[in-house]
Each structure stands twice: as C-alpha cells, then as structure tokens.
Amino acid sequence: MAEAVVGLLIGKLGEALLSEAATYGASLLCTEACALRGFFGEIRRATDWLKIMKAFLKDSEKFKDTNETTDALVKKIRGLAFRMEDVVDEFKYRLEGDKHGGFAAKMKKRIQHVKVWRRLAQELREINADLEDAARQRNLCAMAVIVERSGGGSDHFAGPAREEDLVGIKDNAEKLKGWLLDILEEKKSKIITVWGMGGAGKTTLVDHLYKIVKDDFDVAAWVTVSERYQVQDLLKKIAGGFGIPGDVCNLDKRSLCEVMYNHLKGKSYILVLDDVWEADAWVSVTNVFPTNCISRLVLTSRYKEVAPTNSDCIMELELLKGRSSWELFCNVAFRNYNGKRCPVELWDLAEKFLEKCEGLPLAIACIGNLLIYRDPTPSEWSKVLALKKAENEGFGKIYEGSTTFCMDVTRRLSIQSTNIAPLNQSGVRHLRAIHVFVSPIDIDLLRPMLASSILLSTLDLQGTQIKMLPDVVFNMFNLRFLGLRYSGIEVLQEAVGRLVNLEVLDAYETGLQSLPKGIAKLKKLRYLYATHQTRQGRMGCGTEVPRGIRNLTGLHALQAVEASSETLCDVAALSELRTFAVCNVKSEHSLNLCSAVMNMSHLVHLLVMASNENEVLPMEALSLPATLSNFELLGQLEKKQMPQILSSWSHLISLTRLYLAFSKLGEDSFSCLMVLRGLCHLTVVKAYDGKKLCFPAQTFPRLRYLEISGAPQLNHVEIEEGALASLIELVFVECPELKCLPHGIENLAALEDLYLQDTAEELIEKLRQKHEADESNEELMKISHIRKLKAKTPEFRARLARGETLADVEAVACACFHVQREAFAAVREAARRMLGIIGGAVLQDGCIAKMKTGEGKTLVSTLAAYLNALTGEGVHGTA
C-alpha cells in the first residue's frame, strides 16, 4: 500500500511541476517569484528521491510483516509521503484562491502568500532531508533482509503439519512416503525432488513425511539452503543437523568433509535440503557422503532444473483447485469449530479471499490463521482483512461512536455512528476522504469537520437523509468525488460550479429533479449520475440537465437525463461518453436521440427508456456503435420496422448484455436477435407476444443467462441440439400458458439453474411428482442433470391449498435448501440486495429482529411477509 501512496504522490508532484511556468508568469512580485523558485526546486528534489523509494517499496513488499527493520522503514516513508501530499495540496489550494477577487484583493493575497511559499518550501526541505536519511537506512534494511534470507539452522523449526493441512496433496504424500521407505534393506541411495512455486506447500508436505519416516533411519537432518549460501557454511549446518560431535564450526572444509564421511559411513541417513535455488547447492555437498549405504536426499525447490536429470523421483506440486482450496480454508479458519464448516453468511467473503489466494496453499493458510481467533461474522471479517489493515497503515479509521476517538493523521474516515459530537476535530486537516454509513446523520454536527477539511478529495454521503449540502462543501476545491447516491438530497446549489476539480458526481436515485447551471463549469467532470425516485405512472425518471451540459466534452458517463429535444441536441456534443442513459423518451425525440448516439463512437453502455409502456419509438435510424457491450431498451418498437432494426445489430460483436422490455417481439422478429452471437446475458420482460419460441442449432453459442418474463401467450419452447451450448441459468416468469418444459432442454449440458415462477400449475405439478415415480416422469427425466430447480410462488401456494400450514411449508426441504430460506432468497433476489435471511427467520418465528440503521430492516421484513402472504389473506405492515 505504501508503494501506491508514493506512486500517487509522484503523479501529484508532476502536476505541480506542470503548473510551474504558468505560476511564474502570473507572479506579480519579485519576492514571490523567488519564493516559488525555491518551492519548485524542492519539489524536483523530492520527486527524484520518491522514485528511488518507490523502487525500494516494491522490492520490500515480499518481506512485509516478516522483517521489523523493513516494516519500520516502510512506515516512515509512508508518513513522509503523507506529509508531502499535505504540502502540495495546500500549495494548490492557495494558488486556486488567488484566482478569485479583484486586482487589489489578488495583490493582498500574493503578498501574504510569499510567506506561505517560503514556509511550504522549508517544510519540503525538511521532508527531503528525512527522505535522504531514509535512503541511508534503506541500505541497512537491505543488509538485514539478506542476513535473514540467507540464515537458517541445522535444526528443523518448521511448525507441525496437521493431517487436515494436507488438503489436495494426500496422494502426493503417499507417493513420497513410498519413495522414502521403498526397499530400505538394500544399500541404495535415492535423490527425491519436490518442486513448485513459492507457497505451493512443498515444505509442509516434506515436513509431514520427514517426521513420520526419520526414525526409520540412523541419523536425520533438515537444513534450509535459500538463495544465498556458502558451501562451507552449508556443510557445517548439515554436520550440526546430523549430530556430529566436536567443534565442527572451527574446522576447515577438508577436515569437515572427512569428519562427516566417517560419521555417516555404515549408517542409513535422510537429509532434507529445503528451498534449494540451484543444482550446485546439493551437488557440492553430496560429494562428501559415502555411497555404499542407505540414504535419502530430499530437495525442495521452486525450479524443476534443480532435480537430477536421470531421477525418476520428481514431484511437482500444483495450485489447489476450487474444492480443495475451500476445504483447506475451512480446516484452518474454523479449526476450533465442530464440523469445520463455513457459515452461509460468510460464503461470499470466503470466496473473495480464495480468489485473491489463487489456489496458493500458503496464502490460504495465512488468511485462515488470521481469521481463526475472530468472531465468524461478516463485519468482523471485513474489519480484520480490510479496515484494520487500513488503520494500521495510516490509510483510514472507523468511527463507531467512541468517546475517546482521535484521528491523529488519519487520511480517510468511515463514520458508522450517528453520535459524531465526540469526534476530536484535531487532525481533520489531514483528511482526504469521509465516508458516512449511517442514514440519519446530523449535518449540523458534521459541518465543523467539513469546514476544517479543506483538502478533502472524497465526500461520500450515500444513503443519508440530508436534504441540502452545507455551503462549506463548495469551498473544497480539492474535491474529486461527491457521493450522494440514495440520499434525500432535493436541491443542489448553484455553488457546485466552484468544485473545479470534481471528477465524479453521484446523485443516483435521489430527490433531485434538475441540476443547476453551475454543473456546466465542471470541466474535469468525467462521471455524472443523477436520477430521482420514480413517480407513479412513470417507468423511470431522469434528471433535467442545463443547456451548458454540451460544454462537458470530457464526460465518460451521463446517467440518466430527462429527454427533451434541446437536451438530446446538447448531448450530441459529448462524443467521449462510454455510458449514456436517457429516460422519458417520446416518439418525437427519436430522431434527435439517434443523431446523438451516432456521435458516441466509444459508447459501451446505453439505456433508452420510453415515457410509458405504450410509447412507440421509431428507431430505424438508430446506428449503434460497434463498441457497445450493454444495451437496455425499454419501450415499443414499430412492428413493421422491427426485423430491419434488429437485423442491423449484426455488427455488434462486443454486445454481451441485452435487456428488452415492452418491445412486442413476435416469433419472426425474435429470430432476428440471433445475429448477436456474442451475447452472454439476454433478458426479455413483457416484450414477447408469440406463442412459440424456437432456438435453432448453433444459436446464441455464448449465452449464459436467459430470462423470458411476462409472456402471456407462450406455450411452447423448443431448443434444438447445439443451441444455447453455454447456457447456465434459464428463467421463465409469468408465463401462465407454459405447461411443459422446453423441448430439448435435456441437451443443455451446461445448464445448472432452472427458475420457474408463475408458470402453469400443470407444469409445477409435473415437477412435484414423488421420487418413486421419477422413472415414468418424462419432465423430471429431462432435467435430471440440472443442479438446482426453483419453482417458486405457485409451488408454495399449492402446498397451502392441499392443507399444509405455514409451519409445514417452512419445514419441507426443496432441492438442497430449506423452503423458508428459499422463499426468502427469492425476495432477496428480486430486491437485488444482500438481506439478512436470519433476520427473516427470526421474524417468522414471532420474535423481534434487532438491526442497525441502514442494514435493511424494511426489506428484511418482506421475507416473512412474503411467506405469510402465500395464504392469500394479505399481510399488513407499517414502517
């Protein structure tokens, strides 16, 4: 992390140097120019030192948390980088302030700033002196690392390898044991090599077997070689390991070889040389061993070339596969729990950890050991692996309401308590980011902190209930990210135009219905997200943007604008857009929309939403760019022009996701979509009016997800052999006439999930046949290869209709999951948020589920409400 901090700082210093000429040109006083010259000179000097330090930090990462000298130096460099960032940001802040006011005001500021420039230059000189000192310490640190890496001992200090740690390598363990103990009565030598990348488990495997077999030999020794070694030192370690009596440390090489030869003569021995980097290491020492005795030489190495060329005993340790990685992780992380199983609520986090480990056993074991003494909860795991690490490295802190909380030189602050009054205001000047994670935050209590945090670059108020930003926010010239997503913000002041460095404005799903004219002044803005909550009768609501939006030519994302002829004409000037979303589109807007999209040659994601379900959009002039990857179209297309429009998409080889709603597709027009051979995700919602749906052979070869929803007439689906070859998930929702499974579904070898909701009751009944009737149940035979079948609401209601109680429904197992949990999961999937299934279960049992603000109490309540609503009697709730 320190390397990243330094890298970003080098970029900032480069930006400051780019402004050097312009700053000199604007200076009106000789004394000011002189002070600036000293300041920029120190910046150049600092840049050179930081480049050297960055190279050191990159090399030192491998010794992190293993060498105290290295850790101390890294911490020092990180602190110096933070200090330097403060100086540079203050300089830019002062420089920006000089641009405002009349001539007299500017002159007064410049006279005052002469002292500021001199002070900042002096601070940089002190920091540079400390950097020079760090550079000298770097050499000492490098020596310490060399000593540590080249060290070792004749004794074997490796920790005990438990049987459960041998996940994925038990077969290798049996093979290695055979090589070690095979025909011991014969006087035969054998060299065994175990190789693989660092952390693959070589030492763990050999250590396990070494402890088992060493008593079968007269003498045994374990020696770590490492990359840097001396032959004589290595021989001394081996002699010590074999227990050779006498003062071997003072013997010369020749005498040492003679003593070792005599000691081993006539004995059986096993020698492990761990971490061998080159063949010469073992060749140079084994020449002194007697050859007419029983011996086993075991080498572990990262390189196959270390092994003897004529040896048959060479074993490669590969990375662990998915199941083995999971088993090892559970064995270590849940060693103190019966069953050693990972709780369901931790699956997502565990999988993320394992992705980072990439099958490396050592990495998995380290993560597991880090978690073993922590409470197995998502919040605790997140703190241990992310936030605690960030806090230790000065990256950020979490405030949870502590009365003794002190920020010191914290760069980033996460607020998770509404009680922010005790927050110590000292140190806020160093803050670069504030993230608020509680909804009912008192903005008045936050205002003093914001007023002091003049160098803030990130302000994230997502989900808070604030209606309007405090004026002090608009003094933050350094602000890059302003997050208002899901907040209660209703008005954005004109003063937003003063945030000249703002790059991201996220006001997605807020109360904003329009953006102020000041937005047009934000020339550095790259991502603008602004939508407001849907009004009744509207499919979606964009935000009105000012006419000056055309000046933001560097925008990469604009989501979502309220359609108007003037707005679409302005948007046509934004040729750099990658993401564009437009709402409330009417037929009269179509021509302007098509013209605007035609200019967006880099477009990746496009969303077009009509004003209502019945609005017909004439889109025959729409020419989509070949770069398009995700296209969402919510609105009707002209029936006669539909085949022509869909066929014109054949050049969209990058299109992987397509969402169509209300398009009125028929059997013929749907077939035109099959030109999209790169499609991976296809969703059709209330957009198909046909009775039959056919997928010919070789169509949609890369499609992994297919959803057909709201098709009231659909009664027959046919999938020819070779079609949908990559399909993993198939979904049918609200298809009341669909009485049979798709013909040919048995050919979908990759299919894992089949989801049926509100299809014909006849189909659900066929799938609910008892297992003893499976042989005669044709429908069940078709899907016997599918891992997960979900038939939702109709099945639950059918159980209740047959006299089962809610408790009965709750108790019946469906597939591999409890029905209650499956029903709850259905709502969770629909809500597209991670909800507490446990909370829903608690409510269903008639108990109170206590949850913190923002954890989703309302949505969790829908879990139990859904289950009880299956009776058809309705459920009433208040919030």
Side-chain angles (χ1 to χ4, degrees):
M1 187 177 291
E3 182 194 355
V5 170
V6 170
L8 289 172
L9 180 56
I10 290 174
K12 276 195 172 186
L13 294 179
E15 290 178 8
L17 289 173
L18 286 175
S19 68
E20 180 179 11
T23 307
Y24 281 150
S27 63
L28 304 176
L29 302 171
C30 182
T31 52
E32 183 186 18
C34 182
L36 286 169
R37 190 176 295 111
F39 177 78
F40 283 114
E42 293 300 326
I43 283 186
R44 284 195 179 85
R45 188 175 162 210
T47 302
D48 293 338
W49 280 116
L50 285 173
K51 287 178 180 177
I52 296 172
M53 291 296 99
K54 185 182 178 186
F56 163 73
L57 291 171
K58 184 176 182 180
D59 292 337
S60 66
E61 184 67 24
K62 65 187 74 172
F63 305 115
K64 192 176 180 184
D65 301 326
T66 63
N67 182 280
E68 291 184 6
T69 308
T70 303
D71 290 346
L73 184 55
V74 168
K75 185 176 182 179
K76 180 176 181 178
I77 295 172
R78 186 190 305 115
L80 291 173
F82 284 154
R83 283 173 58 194
M84 194 174 295
E85 183 184 34
D86 288 342
V87 171
V88 174
D89 283 347
E90 183 180 352
F91 167 73
K92 294 167 70 177
Y93 175 76
R94 302 285 185 182
L95 207 60
E96 180 65 26
D98 289 347
K99 298 178 182 179
H100 305 291
F103 178 79
K106 288 181 179 178
M107 282 297 295
K108 184 177 180 181
K109 287 180 181 177
R110 288 187 177 280
I111 292 172
Q112 294 172 343
H113 284 177
V114 170
K115 293 183 179 179
V116 175
W117 303 152
R118 287 173 178 167
R119 174 177 60 79
L120 294 179
Q122 178 60 30
E123 288 185 30
L124 278 181
R125 272 192 288 274
E126 294 173 1
I127 294 171
N128 282 330
D130 289 340
L131 276 175
E132 290 183 42
D133 184 53
R136 287 190 291 271
Q137 294 177 20
R138 176 178 65 106
N139 297 328
L140 295 174
C141 181
M143 291 175 61
V145 168
I146 289 174
V147 170
E148 183 171 312
R149 292 290 289 169
S150 61
S154 55
D155 294 330
H156 177 210
F157 291 109
R162 295 174 298 274
E163 190 71 27
E164 59 265 29
D165 292 338
L166 301 179
V167 174
I169 56 174
K170 289 185 179 179
D171 291 341
N172 288 328
E174 288 299 319
K175 182 186 290 188
L176 181 57
K177 185 177 180 181
W179 288 345
L180 291 171
L181 299 180
D182 187 33
I183 322 179
L184 277 183
E185 63 274 8
E186 294 185 13
K187 292 187 177 182
K188 192 173 181 181
S189 299
K190 188 178 292 185
I191 299 177
I192 301 166
T193 306
V194 180
W195 72 281
M197 68 181 297
K202 305 180 294 295
T203 302
T204 300
L205 173 63
V206 174
D207 167 57
H208 178 69
L209 270 300
Y210 175 77
K211 287 181 170 63
I212 292 175
V213 306
K214 67 178 182 177
D215 291 337
D216 292 302
F217 296 86
D218 296 327
V219 289
W222 179 297
V223 174
T224 301
V225 180
S226 296
E227 185 176 8
R228 296 177 178 86
Y229 69 94
Q230 296 293 329
V231 174
Q232 188 166 344
D233 292 338
L234 198 56
L235 287 171
K236 291 177 181 179
K237 291 180 184 179
I238 294 172
F242 280 137
I244 296 177
D247 188 10
V248 295
C249 293
N250 295 321
L251 296 177
D252 58 31
K253 184 177 179 182
R254 182 174 180 180
S255 301
L256 188 62
C257 292
E258 185 177 347
V259 169
M260 192 178 303
Y261 182 89
N262 292 331
H263 181 77
L264 296 177
K265 189 175 180 180
K267 296 178 182 177
S268 63
Y269 64 88
I270 177 173
L271 171 62
V272 176
L273 295 180
D274 188 29
D275 197 18
V276 180
W277 286 66
E278 55 184 28
D280 288 346
W282 66 266
V283 171
S284 59
V285 297
T286 53
N287 289 333
V288 305
F289 298 155
T291 56
N292 60 341
C293 59
I294 301 170
S295 68
R296 296 291 185 268
L297 174 61
V298 184
L299 311 173
T300 73
S301 177
R302 303 182 184 193
Y303 308 105
K304 185 180 181 181
E305 292 74 19
V306 166
T309 54
N310 58 348
S311 174
D312 294 330
C313 300
I314 301 176
M315 177 183 296
E316 178 187 5
L317 289 192
E318 298 179 345
L319 298 179
L320 297 180
K321 305 300 181 184
R323 179 172 294 181
S324 296
S325 293
W326 182 267
E327 185 180 348
L328 176 59
F329 176 79
C330 291
N331 285 346
V332 179
F334 300 100
R335 185 182 304 150
N336 298 333
Y337 295 87
N338 293 331
K340 299 177 183 176
R341 293 180 180 177
C342 179
V344 175
E345 62 270 19
L346 294 175
W347 282 1
D348 289 342
L349 273 173
E351 287 175 357
K352 288 179 182 178
F353 300 151
L354 290 177
E355 283 179 15
K356 296 291 184 182
C357 295
E358 297 181 344
L360 205 61
L362 180 61
I364 296 171
C366 287
I367 291 280
N369 283 319
L370 190 62
L371 297 171
I372 188 171
Y373 298 112
R374 298 286 177 173
D375 291 336
T377 62
S379 59
E380 190 68 17
W381 276 24
S382 297
K383 290 178 185 178
V384 169
L385 293 178
L387 298 174
K388 192 64 178 177
K389 179 182 177 68
E391 183 172 330
N392 290 339
E393 300 199 3
F395 187 80
K397 277 190 174 182
I398 310 168
Y399 174 72
E400 297 178 310
S402 171
T403 57
T404 59
F405 187 84
C406 182
M407 282 178 282
D408 298 324
V409 291
T410 301
R411 314 300 282 187
R412 292 157 187 84
L413 176 66
S414 296
I415 299 176
Q416 299 187 13
S417 171
T418 56
N419 181 27
I420 61 176
L423 269 178
N424 188 341
Q425 296 296 313
S426 64
V428 296
R429 189 179 182 83
H430 300 285
L431 279 177
R432 290 302 185 276
I434 296 177
H435 301 270
V436 180
F437 290 95
V438 287
S439 177
I441 192 77
D442 188 337
I443 199 66
D444 290 328
L445 292 177
L446 194 61
R447 188 177 280 105
M449 181 184 295
L450 296 177
S452 302
S453 307
I454 57 174
L455 301 179
L456 206 67
S457 62
T458 297
L459 178 58
D460 189 359
L461 302 173
Q462 176 175 323
T464 58
Q465 296 176 5
I466 61 170
K467 303 295 183 182
M468 181 183 295
L469 288 172
D471 290 338
V472 294
V473 170
F474 305 113
N475 295 329
M476 299 175 180
F477 102 101
N478 197 43
L479 200 65
R480 264 69 173 174
F481 178 94
L482 180 56
L484 305 170
R485 180 173 291 231
Y486 305 130
S487 71
I489 201 85
E490 295 177 347
V491 177
L492 191 60
Q493 296 95 307
E494 194 68 38
V496 72
R498 289 157 51 189
L499 302 177
V500 294
N501 288 308
L502 196 66
E503 297 176 3
V504 180
L505 174 56
D506 187 358
Y508 188 85
E509 284 293 309
T510 64
L512 281 178
Q513 297 190 26
S514 62
L515 294 175
K517 293 179 181 179
I519 287 289
K521 298 178 183 179
L522 306 180
K523 298 297 179 65
K524 293 186 179 181
L525 197 64
R526 294 295 178 267
Y527 302 91
L528 176 55
Y529 304 99
T531 64
H532 64 280
Q533 287 89 353
T534 305
R535 296 194 299 266
Q536 189 173 5
R538 292 281 301 279
M539 295 200 310
C541 291
T543 302
E544 295 178 10
V545 295
R547 291 302 305 270
I549 195 75
R550 64 182 300 112
N551 297 326
L552 304 182
T553 54
L555 268 184
H556 284 188
L558 179 57
Q559 184 181 357
V561 300
E562 187 80 357
S564 72
S565 298
E566 294 80 8
T567 296
L568 292 172
C569 287
D570 287 344
V571 169
L574 308 181
S575 58
E576 294 296 316
L577 281 178
R578 272 67 171 172
T579 296
F580 178 54
V582 56
C583 299
N584 198 26
V585 179
K586 299 178 181 178
S587 58
E588 58 264 29
H589 301 146
S590 295
L591 190 58
N592 289 330
L593 174 61
C594 294
S595 298
V597 172
M598 194 177 299
N599 293 336
M600 301 175 188
S601 56
H602 305 291
L603 200 61
V604 175
H605 179 194
L606 174 63
L607 183 148
V608 177
M609 184 179 294
S611 58
N612 59 71
E613 296 183 18
N614 301 316
E615 187 74 38
V616 178
L617 304 178
M619 305 290 282
E620 59 271 13
L622 181 63
S623 178
L624 298 173
T627 55
L628 198 65
S629 172
N630 187 348
F631 184 30
E632 300 174 69
L633 177 60
L634 291 79
Q636 287 191 40
L637 297 174
E638 289 185 333
K639 208 143 195 161
K640 292 182 180 179
Q641 300 295 330
M642 200 179 301
Q644 174 191 337
I645 295 171
L646 301 182
S647 298
S648 69
W649 297 351
S650 59
H651 68 291
L652 301 177
I653 57 176
S654 299
L655 190 66
T656 58
R657 301 178 72 92
L658 178 62
Y659 183 100
L660 297 174
F662 320 117
S663 303
K664 299 291 185 182
L665 295 170
E667 296 174 23
D668 294 336
S669 53
F670 185 87
S671 63
C672 297
L673 290 175
M674 296 174 188
V675 299
L676 303 172
R677 297 184 58 79
L679 214 57
C680 297
H681 195 289
L682 174 60
T683 303
V684 180
V685 178
K686 295 184 179 180
Y688 190 74
D689 287 346
K691 295 182 178 180
K692 296 182 179 180
L693 187 56
C694 181
F695 296 91
Q698 309 306 318
T699 54
F700 296 126
R702 297 179 59 189
L703 197 67
R704 298 168 64 85
Y705 177 90
L706 173 62
E707 177 180 343
I708 306 296
S709 178
Q713 301 184 70
L714 182 64
N715 57 31
H716 180 77
V717 179
E718 184 168 349
I719 304 171
E720 295 185 6
E721 188 171 358
L724 306 176
S726 303
L727 195 66
I728 292 176
E729 187 169 355
L730 180 58
V731 177
F732 290 99
V733 178
E734 294 182 8
C735 300
E737 297 299 318
L738 192 61
K739 301 178 181 179
C740 297
L741 288 173
H743 179 70
I745 193 173
E746 63 273 15
N747 298 323
L748 301 180
L751 190 64
E752 294 183 5
D753 296 348
L754 175 60
Y755 186 105
L756 303 173
Q757 179 174 325
D758 293 329
T759 54
E761 184 67 26
E762 183 178 336
L763 173 57
I764 302 300
E765 281 298 320
K766 289 179 181 178
L767 299 178
R768 294 195 68 258
Q769 298 293 326
K770 298 296 183 182
H771 287 287
E772 55 266 21
D774 280 358
E775 294 183 3
S776 60
N777 190 323
E778 184 179 348
E779 296 297 286
L780 284 176
M781 290 295 290
K782 287 181 181 180
I783 57 173
S784 58
H785 64 293
I786 297 178
R787 181 176 61 89
K788 190 183 296 182
L789 169 64
K790 300 179 182 178
K792 298 301 173 190
T793 307
E795 178 183 353
F796 302 145
R797 284 180 175 153
R799 292 179 185 175
L800 294 171
R802 284 189 291 272
E804 297 183 32
T805 65
L806 285 176
D808 296 330
V809 174
E810 186 179 3
V812 176
C814 178
C816 301
F817 295 92
H818 199 287
V819 171
Q820 176 187 330
R821 292 160 68 183
E822 189 182 35
F824 291 173
V827 181
R828 182 186 66 185
E829 187 70 18
R832 293 176 180 247
R833 273 190 71 174
M834 179 61 71
L835 303 177
I837 290 182
I838 295 176
V842 169
L843 293 176
Q844 175 60 27
D845 289 340
C847 300
I848 296 175
K850 183 179 179 181
M851 301 176 68
K852 293 181 180 179
T853 300
E855 288 185 339
K857 296 184 293 294
T858 303
L859 288 173
V860 165
S861 68
T862 63
L863 303 179
Y866 169 71
L867 182 62
N868 285 274
L870 294 172
T871 61
E873 297 177 1
V875 174
H876 177 71
T878 58

